[in-house]
Amino acid sequence: MTETIHPNPAEDSVGYDPTAIERKWQERWETRGTNHTDLAAGVRPFYALMMFPYPSAEGLHVGNLFAFTGNDIYGRFQRLQGHTVFEPLGYDAFGIHSENFALKVGTHPADLIPRNIDNFRRQLKRAGLMIDWRHELSTTDPDYYKWTQWLFLQLYKRGLAYKKGAAVNWCPNDKTVLANEQVIAGECERCGAKVEQRFLEQWFFRITDYAGRLLDNLDSLDWSDSTKQAQRNWIGRSDGAELSFRVQDLEELTGTATIASGESGEYTAEPIDVRVFTTRPDTIFGATYLVLAPEHPLVGALTTDEQRGAVLAYQQRAAKQDLVSRKVSKEKTGVFTGTFAVNPATQSPIPVWIADYVLMEYGTGAIMAVPGHDERDFEFAKVFDLPIARVVAPGGATVPHGPMDAAYTESENVHLVNSGEFTGLSVAEAKKAIVVWLALNGHAKAVVNYRLHDWCISRQRYWGPPIPIIYCDHCGTVPVPEQDLPVELPYVEDFKPDDSGVSPLARVESWYRVACPTCGGQARRETDVSDTFLDSAWYFLRYPSTGFSDTPFDETITKKWLPVNSYIGGNEHAVLHLLYSRFTTMVLHDAGLIDFEEPFTKFRAHGMIIREGAKMSKSRGNVVNPDEYIERWGADTFRTYLMFLGPYEEGGDFRDQSIAGVRRFLDRLWYSVVGATTDGAPDAGVIRKLHQTIKKVSSDLPVLSYNTAVAAMMEYMNTVRRGERMAHRAEVEPLVQLVAVFAPHLAEELWERLGHVESVFDAGWPVFDASLAAEEMQTIAVQVGGKTRGTVQVPTGAGQEAALEAAMADPSISKFVVATPKKVVFVPGRLLNLVI
RNA sequence: GCCGGGAUGGCGAAACGGGUAGACGCGAGGGACUUAAAAUCCCUUUCCCGCAAGGGAGUCCGGGUUCGAGUCCCGGUCCUGGCACCA
């Protein structure tokens, strides 16, 4: 921190001393239980949830506090409106992030995490949040992850958890699985070794079964639009069709022997159908070749003997590449299988290729290539000199034939050409008509595809909840019986991932060797742990029920407190965390365990804070450490400043110099209240401003417009103190209540000094009185020909006549009225426009 | 490439469903108090011309709609977040 800033003025005892006040009230809240929520008896329950933090070793980030403070203000406001508010907090402490850090510093995560959590708790308590600490939780606590494992079993029971082989990124040097983010340009981010693909058996959740519901429900959720849009894009609904292309001995068709033979080389008499997915069935007359993903199961059967060598080589090369660079590299590569298929629309033979630009995970893993109207297919056709046909042209154009120099992808105001009986139709018409036509021969059906994939929850790591599955030689896959939960994560000294491709737990024989729960025979535990996102996909259900050890969430309490009324968090979780939570909730709903299917009634994403115009980062060394600022300025000033520096949902620029302004405001508030008089009556003009301020703040808080709420209070403070006047108690007492949501300690102290015994947070919200807020006179802007020429004062509610008269009476305005106005526009209370 | 968000004084930012652009705060300049400094308080502060009165210009750029556009429409530039060979 720089040393040029406002020093602490509060050395003398009558001044505002945040350090003393904040300590006093934090203690008192604790002893009085001010922030304890009576979950059973509380009326008008309001669940104000914030995304729980990952307790990093660096301590609380200012971004965390920005998020939490915004939620805290919202929660405190609801409380002052008469709700029983529940504001819990916990720690998302499992995961690769903690594990990697632990590896780096050479400390066991089980030792490291509790220390980090202690530090976080200490920091959070200083920030003056209205948290009910009795409901704190950590995902690493066996009492918590017992139920995470239980959740897995519920999905397993419902057939929503299954195991399959899937590709992962593998670093041959570090001997570990890497997340996609850890692969930089095909290399391991830590050691730089070339990353490979490995196939591992992993557990998946069938979230794709819920794709339609996850998408459709979005319409009825009160969430930030940007978040909903991100989810829509992620789910990625595509309406299209599945078409089939027949592959057979084409001797009869072409006279050329292009015999498809099986893997063992035998003659394949049976015709094979290759199914493709397309969103543009209208372009089928332009499909000049097919492409399968290299891993497509039909590739072996479709490859001719002459091409087999090349195909196998290509498949091997594709398998070697890491997952990231395979998708990123744009140069088209591929190999001809030697086989032809029949285009069902044109009846022409078209070649079948394999190429890695077709992904096995999406659609059917095969496409019909329409190079005339798809950029990727066009590029591929150019590289391998495949035919390009035009079947779509701009509206009104006559059949333009001949070579194309780019794919023509326009689909509005265009029509089909070279498409038999469909020529002339619009794209939309042709899509329907062609699917209907091809469906007659079983060549097509309308299909909806989602780009959402099933959720892979296996992690070949140590720091997570073990997946509660046991493999028995006799009984096969056996879920751990619920009464045997939790499957505790053993304390393993050497938790480093190794060459085996499985979790470090696979080295702990004493742990993984168990008796089969069904037959009692020799069996072995699943040694992978589950994804951190599973921990956080249900934590909001646990908070109200942390006191229950026999159930993950108590039925009565859950009914009363969920779904969450308000959820605030960062948009970096717009997709994964929020989507997984929604999915989990839907599954529990379908299992009859809860009576709602959407967990968060309202969600708002907060913005990001930057520092002096630049992104905060450790390497830049410009990270704000909340401790230092709270020490210097007080938590109340820090909180209020965070909320003042920009619009909450957009974030803002943290500038050290600007904090002083907020502190000055709180200083002025302090002196005004402490020195307030009760003599005589309050000033009517000030009271008018007070009620205007109550109205403004009351309407700003529910929409998270915290920066303007603070500005309004500052403005009011200026009105109260104008010309060094002394405040009257009635002018400032309600202001203490307003400011309480931002500066809770200061407000409590002033409230007490005003003679109140109860907490300001049990005192309710000031009542807005419209009659006291009303102005007698209004300022009307006067324009002549749309140009503002001055203002006039008229009595409130005055009509056009009065305004016009006042305007003409002012020579500095009337001099512009050089002719009789053609038209007069009057907006009551705002403006008069004389059109000459 | 696709989908979001954005561009307003020296700076962070305000501006209800078009209706006085710049609230509030920072910084800067001037003044009061003080032996002095800090703190505090008061005044000024979008830019240009002008001693002033006053006038002109102005919300990224170019058009448009309107009595009136930061706000609505069309076209573009730049910044920023996310997704990305998804057929």
Side-chain angles (χ1 to χ4, degrees):
Chain A
M1 260 196 320
T2 50
E3 292 302 319
T4 54
I5 316 164
H6 181 71
N8 190 336
E11 294 306 326
D12 65 291
S13 59
V14 292
Y16 168 38
D17 177 3
T19 310
I21 289 173
E22 288 170 11
R23 194 184 307 118
K24 167 181 167 183
W25 284 97
Q26 281 163 19
E27 278 166 18
R28 197 172 286 186
W29 288 334
E30 205 147 327
T31 54
R32 285 184 180 174
T34 309
N35 298 337
H36 290 180
T37 309
D38 188 341
L39 293 176
V43 294
R44 300 180 67 204
F46 191 95
Y47 191 167
L49 182 68
M50 45 199 152
M51 286 185 181
F52 64 170
Y54 154 69
S56 74
E58 293 88 43
L60 197 59
H61 189 268
V62 66
N64 294 132
L65 262 191
F66 180 71
F68 300 159
T69 303
N71 181 65
D72 191 58
I73 288 167
Y74 199 83
R76 287 181 185 273
F77 178 63
Q78 294 301 330
R79 173 166 174 171
L80 288 166
Q81 302 280 312
H83 290 277
T84 302
V85 175
F86 182 46
E87 191 179 314
L89 196 68
Y91 309 97
D92 189 17
F94 263 141
I96 198 164
H97 193 161
S98 311
E99 190 179 310
N100 284 347
F101 185 81
L103 282 169
K104 199 172 110 192
V105 299
T107 312
H108 196 280
D111 302 324
L112 192 67
I113 288 296
R115 293 212 298 262
N116 292 353
I117 287 179
D118 287 344
N119 187 39
F120 259 66
R121 192 186 300 109
R122 177 191 63 76
Q123 290 187 295
L124 286 162
K125 287 196 171 179
R126 294 184 74 183
L129 300 165
M130 197 175 70
I131 292 168
D132 187 344
W133 287 103
R134 299 173 307 172
H135 290 270
E136 186 192 46
L137 61 79
S138 169
T139 55
T140 54
D141 186 340
D143 289 341
Y144 181 86
Y145 70 71
K146 167 183 180 177
W147 300 114
T148 305
Q149 292 168 337
W150 171 89
L151 181 63
F152 175 93
L153 295 177
Q154 305 314 304
L155 278 121
Y156 183 80
K157 256 198 269 183
R158 300 183 64 76
L160 294 168
Y162 67 97
K163 213 175 180 191
K164 74 167 183 196
V168 294
N169 297 303
W170 178 259
C171 172
N173 182 48
D174 285 349
K175 304 182 193 325
T176 181
V177 169
L178 299 175
N180 281 352
E181 301 76 59
Q182 297 176 293
V183 182
I184 312 295
E187 293 173 354
C188 171
E189 69 167 357
R190 280 201 290 180
C191 68
K194 194 102 182 98
V195 173
E196 298 171 359
Q197 264 185 76
R198 269 206 183 183
F199 275 84
L200 298 177
E201 285 280 304
Q202 312 202 65
W203 284 96
F204 286 82
F205 285 166
R206 271 185 224 287
I207 191 171
T208 50
D209 280 8
Y210 285 74
R213 247 161 105 192
L214 288 166
L215 185 69
D216 295 342
N217 278 9
L218 285 173
D219 294 335
S220 56
L221 290 179
D222 177 14
W223 283 23
S224 299
D225 285 335
S226 58
T227 312
K228 288 209 262 190
Q229 202 47 46
Q231 295 225 340
R232 286 195 190 99
N233 292 344
W234 187 264
I235 296 168
R237 180 185 165 115
S238 284
D239 286 278
E242 222 171 83
L243 309 178
S244 52
F245 287 69
R246 177 142 298 192
V247 179
Q248 58 193 131
D249 180 1
L250 294 176
E251 218 166 348
E252 48 191 287
L253 263 169
T254 62
T256 341
T258 54
I259 295 164
S261 48
E263 296 213 53
S264 47
E266 85 276 19
Y267 179 78
T268 315
E270 286 298 304
I272 297 172
D273 282 324
V274 177
R275 294 180 306 117
V276 305
F277 174 74
T278 179
T279 54
R280 294 293 303 275
D282 53 298
T283 60
I284 188 161
F285 285 86
T288 53
Y289 59 101
L290 295 186
V291 188
L292 310 196
E295 314 86 325
H296 197 289
L298 286 177
V299 171
L302 291 177
T303 302
T304 60
D305 292 335
E306 308 86 81
Q307 290 299 102
R308 191 163 305 280
V311 165
L312 281 174
Y314 186 79
Q315 283 180 311
Q316 277 164 13
R317 193 154 64 89
K320 255 214 172 119
Q321 240 183 341
D322 72 284
L323 300 170
V324 178
S325 53
R326 170 165 167 187
K327 290 191 179 183
V328 164
S329 84
K330 300 275 185 192
E331 311 92 75
K332 296 285 178 288
T333 57
V335 176
F336 179 42
T337 60
T339 306
F340 290 81
V342 178
N343 180 322
T346 62
Q347 297 301 323
S348 313
I350 59 175
V352 180
W353 285 66
I354 64 169
D356 66 1
Y357 82 96
V358 174
L359 309 174
M360 194 57 224
E361 318 94 75
Y362 186 74
T364 61
I367 62 156
M368 66 173 198
V370 185
H373 305 285
D374 180 282
E375 285 165 14
R376 296 151 303 184
D377 297 343
F378 183 88
E379 213 181 303
F380 191 83
K382 279 287 177 199
V383 173
F384 295 103
D385 203 22
L386 291 157
I388 299 171
R390 179 186 272 278
V391 292
V392 178
T398 50
V399 199
H401 240 323
M404 300 173 71
D405 46 13
Y408 182 73
T409 55
E410 196 55 56
S411 64
E412 297 293 321
N413 301 316
V414 295
H415 66 267
L416 298 210
V417 297
N418 303 323
S419 296
E421 58 184 288
F422 302 97
T423 297
L425 293 186
S426 73
V427 165
E429 290 163 341
K431 277 185 183 176
K432 285 186 208 135
I434 288 179
V435 171
V436 168
W437 173 61
L438 290 174
L440 292 176
N441 300 315
H443 285 302
K445 65 172 185 216
V447 162
V448 176
N449 247 311
Y450 297 96
R451 53 195 311 178
L452 181 68
H453 291 14
D454 273 346
W455 175 12
C456 176
I457 59 125
S458 292
R459 296 291 180 273
Q460 295 74 36
R461 285 295 190 135
Y462 169 69
W463 194 234
I467 293 174
I469 287 287
I470 290 169
Y471 303 104
C472 168
D473 293 341
H474 297 104
C475 312
T477 302
V478 181
V480 173
E482 289 183 19
Q483 68 269 15
D484 292 350
L485 296 180
V487 177
E488 284 210 42
L489 179 68
Y491 189 100
V492 179
E493 285 295 346
D494 176 20
F495 56 93
K496 223 188 229 135
D498 72 7
D499 197 17
S500 58
V502 290
S503 159
L505 290 175
R507 297 194 295 262
V508 189
E509 195 174 343
S510 60
W511 178 79
Y512 70 70
R513 283 230 179 276
V514 283
C516 170
T518 308
C519 70
Q522 276 213 350
R524 176 189 166 96
R525 288 191 188 280
E526 166 66 63
T527 53
D528 281 357
V529 299
S530 61
D531 183 7
T532 328
F533 278 113
L534 184 58
D535 303 326
S536 57
W538 75 283
Y539 77 113
F540 47 92
L541 284 163
R542 185 59 182 167
Y543 279 137
S545 298
T546 46
F548 294 86
S549 55
D550 57 341
T551 177
F553 38 90
D554 176 71
E555 195 182 329
T556 315
I557 288 283
T558 303
K559 207 166 206 134
K560 178 168 177 177
W561 284 92
L562 282 124
V564 169
N565 299 84
S566 163
Y567 193 24
I568 286 179
N571 235 349
E572 69 273 17
H573 293 117
V575 177
L576 298 181
H577 161 63
L578 288 171
L579 198 67
Y580 294 150
S581 299
R582 295 180 60 215
F583 164 65
T584 305
T585 304
M586 278 181 196
V587 172
L588 292 172
H589 170 264
D590 291 355
L593 295 166
I594 49 179
D595 60 3
F596 51 92
E597 64 172 53
E598 285 291 342
F600 315 122
T601 310
K602 175 174 173 174
F603 172 77
R604 290 292 179 276
H606 66 249
M608 253 194 15
I609 304 195
I610 55 171
R611 174 92 181 272
E612 313 282 351
K615 214 179 219 174
M616 268 183 251
S617 70
K618 264 185 285 180
S619 54
R620 274 201 187 83
N622 64 345
V623 177
V624 172
N625 176 357
D627 279 340
E628 290 173 26
Y629 285 81
I630 287 176
E631 217 135 280
R632 181 164 194 139
W633 300 97
D636 285 334
T637 297
F638 193 58
R639 285 168 58 103
T640 310
Y641 175 61
L642 286 177
M643 296 299 104
F644 181 64
L645 56 70
Y648 189 66
E649 290 177 80
E650 286 166 37
D653 193 358
F654 188 103
R655 307 174 66 87
D656 283 19
Q657 273 193 328
S658 301
I659 306 174
V662 171
R663 175 56 189 268
R664 283 201 268 267
F665 162 62
L666 296 182
D667 280 335
R668 281 198 283 263
L669 175 69
W670 172 270
Y671 286 111
S672 300
V673 176
V674 169
T677 176
T678 48
D679 295 343
D683 181 87
V686 173
I687 292 295
R688 189 184 308 130
K689 186 76 180 167
L690 169 67
H691 280 272
Q692 291 168 354
T693 305
I694 293 172
K695 185 181 185 191
K696 172 76 176 148
V697 174
S698 305
S699 62
D700 278 352
L701 296 185
V703 295
L704 275 45
S705 191
Y706 298 141
N707 56 334
T708 54
V710 173
M713 292 187 293
M714 287 173 165
E715 208 178 325
Y716 177 58
M717 198 72 254
N718 293 342
T719 304
V720 169
R721 290 176 64 91
R722 181 141 302 142
E724 293 189 68
R725 76 180 276 281
M726 180 73 85
H728 190 279
R729 180 188 165 122
E731 295 165 359
V732 290
E733 191 165 6
L735 179 60
V736 172
Q737 293 171 280
L738 297 184
V739 88
V741 296
F742 292 92
H745 314 85
L746 172 63
E748 288 276 37
E749 179 67 22
L750 291 174
W751 195 244
E752 186 182 62
R753 288 184 182 227
L754 286 168
H756 297 281
V757 180
E758 90 277 30
S759 165
V760 69
F761 295 102
D762 293 324
W765 192 247
V767 178
F768 167 67
D769 184 332
S771 64
L772 290 175
E775 299 276 358
E776 295 138 38
M777 298 294 282
Q778 288 178 323
T779 307
I780 304 263
V782 182
Q783 300 184 337
V784 178
K787 258 187 187 317
T788 304
R789 295 302 184 179
T791 61
V792 292
Q793 295 288 318
V794 295
T796 297
Q800 181 175 323
E801 296 304 313
L804 188 55
E805 199 180 317
M808 295 311 288
D810 183 341
S812 66
I813 294 170
S814 59
K815 71 177 179 188
F816 290 100
V817 187
V818 293
T820 313
K822 281 189 289 199
K823 185 176 163 188
V824 177
V825 179
F826 179 65
V827 183
R830 288 215 175 262
L831 149 151
L832 180 74
N833 187 4
L834 308 173
V835 187
I836 305 286

